[in-house]
Every structure is written in structure tokens, then in C-alpha cells.
Amino acid sequence: MKSFGPVITAMVTPFDEYNQLNISSLRKLIIHLLKHGSTSLVITGTTGEAPTLTAIERLRIWETAVDFAGGTVPIITGVGTNNTKTTIHNVKLAEEIGADAVLVVTPYYNKPNQVGLMTHFKEIANSTDLPILLYNIPSRTGVSLTLESILELAEIKNIVGIKDSSGDLNLLKALKEQAPDHFCLYSGDDSNYLETIKLGGDGVISVASHVAGLQMNQIYQLYQKGKVEEAEALNEKLKPLYKGLFCTTNPIPIKAILNQLGMEVGGLRLPLVEMDQFEALELFNELRGLLDE
């Protein structure tokens, strides 16, 4: 399995002035992220507004990312839905276009119990040889994988890790102690990035790395070299950025910041709406001193 590295960026999906997919801006964003420390890319995840993308748009994004950056960094496609059959179909498409791994969120809205959750992920794992990252985010899905369920799933060869956005650091600590050595642990929240590393985790699947990826990489490198206080100081400096990018629903703030930087990622699709221009400029001015130079 390829290493995903410590700073995986959960990419936004750029739209044009007509709110259609902007492939040109997508390529520019990928170039930007590769220059600014992203060690892998997650495409068509929550930050990529996956719920409002058509099947054709999703496939075009995957093909563009794989063609443009495949072989440079791992490309991880967000494929999860609340329908096991549909998710398996998405996994097959990801295989065909050459994705390196898939990110599979816990099924939302139908609220399966733990047996249902485990059966869902086992069926998906049995359908593919691609590496699978579990995605646990109870605030958006209404369900959460338990420690026992994750440990059972971690024994499956191609279930290789988890993006955890539960905010439960005790869960990550227990997983580090009990899961197989090959099982990767990623924070799904920028605010828990350094704490996850301290627990022996592998890094973060990040929103802030769109604009601070070099610094986030530096945090990891400093910590690995034993320069803990320097890593803590840099992480503390970035905390207002972590918080500011979630002042309202993700990816509204990060798209506003990227547009202020001239990245032309466009607006959002309903039911998400953009920040008004004054709020966007105010946020940018508050955070601009924290961004990578």
C-alpha cells in the first residue's frame, strides 16, 4: 500500500460562474496543493460537496485528478453513500479510473446499527482490492462506529485506516493500542491534528491545508524530530485558522478564502450558500497572516 503521508487535503470542488464544474480551476488547485505540502488528495468528499455532484461530474473529477496528479501523490476518492449497492458501484468506477484508495463514510440518514454498519463495510471490502479508509463523522451522519466495530473491520486486509471526526481522542488512543500495525489513524478535524500525532496517529485529512499545508507539514516534521515545543507553538499559531474555517458549515469558509486568494473556486451549490462579501473579506483579513507565504 502507498503511504498517504501526514497531510491529506480534502479538496473543494471548483465551480464556474454558472455553478458548473470548473476543470481548469481544478487543475490549478491541484498544482497549488502539490506545491503546498499535500501528501495525498481526497476528492469528492464532504468538502468537495459530493452530495450535490452528479455521477458524471464525480467521474470527471476523478479522471482529472488521476490523470493530472496520479503517480505524484495518492488520489483517494470519496465514494460513500447510504446505499451499499450504490457505494460498491462507485468503488468499481474508482477502480476503473485508477484511484489509489477510497474513503467510505458511515451510511447517513438510515441510521444502521453496529451490525448493519459492519456488514456494509465488509460487503464493500469484499467487492474490491482497493485500500479503504473508513470515515466516522457522527455529527453529519447520525451514526458512529464503536471501538469494537472498528477493531473488527481493521482485521480485514484492505480496510487500511480511518478518518475519525468524532472528536473522541480516547477512541484514537484505544485504536492505536489495539488495532493492527498497518491500520492508519487520521484526524478528520484540523484542531485535533497534533494531538492525533502525539497519540501515534498518522496525520490529518485536512481543510486548512488548502492554505497552510506547508506549515502543517512542518508541524509533523518538527514533532518527528523531537522538537515538540516548536511543533506545539506552530500548531497553536494556526488554531485561529482551524477555528475560522469552521465558523460556518464547511466548505463555505475555505471557498471564500480561496477566492480571496484568486484561486477561482467559485460558489457553492444549494442548499449551501456563500458568505456575503463583507463577511468573506473580514474572515480573510483576520486569517491572512496565518496562511502559507
Side-chain angles (χ1 to χ4, degrees), residues 16-141:
D16 63 20
E17 64 269 31
Y18 305 106
N19 218 17
Q20 298 301 304
L21 190 60
N22 190 332
I23 294 296
S24 175
S25 286
L26 180 65
R27 292 192 184 103
K28 290 176 183 176
L29 180 59
I30 290 171
I31 291 170
H32 166 82
L33 293 174
L34 296 185
K35 287 181 177 178
H36 286 80
S38 294
T39 56
S40 296
L41 302 176
V42 167
I43 51 178
T44 66
T46 310
T47 308
E49 297 177 73
T52 61
L53 297 172
T54 67
I56 292 172
E57 287 173 331
R58 187 171 58 242
L59 196 57
R60 284 196 70 199
I61 294 167
W62 295 357
E63 289 172 339
T64 300
V66 169
D67 289 346
F68 204 62
T72 305
V73 295
I75 304 298
I76 305 165
T77 57
V79 297
T81 72
N82 60 349
N83 181 321
T84 307
K85 185 176 179 180
T86 301
T87 303
I88 290 172
H89 173 73
N90 291 342
V91 171
K92 292 298 183 185
L93 291 176
E95 273 185 349
E96 289 174 15
I97 59 94
D100 295 292
V102 292
L103 179 70
V104 185
V105 71
T106 50
Y108 40 87
Y109 190 70
N110 9 28
K111 293 190 77 171
N113 61 20
Q114 293 300 305
V115 175
L117 287 169
M118 286 193 292
T119 306
H120 173 77
F121 285 111
K122 288 176 182 178
E123 290 283 326
I124 295 163
N126 287 336
S127 75
T128 183
D129 291 325
L130 279 178
I132 294 168
L133 287 169
L134 309 173
Y135 183 13
N136 193 42
I137 180 164
S139 65
R140 284 186 183 256
T141 63

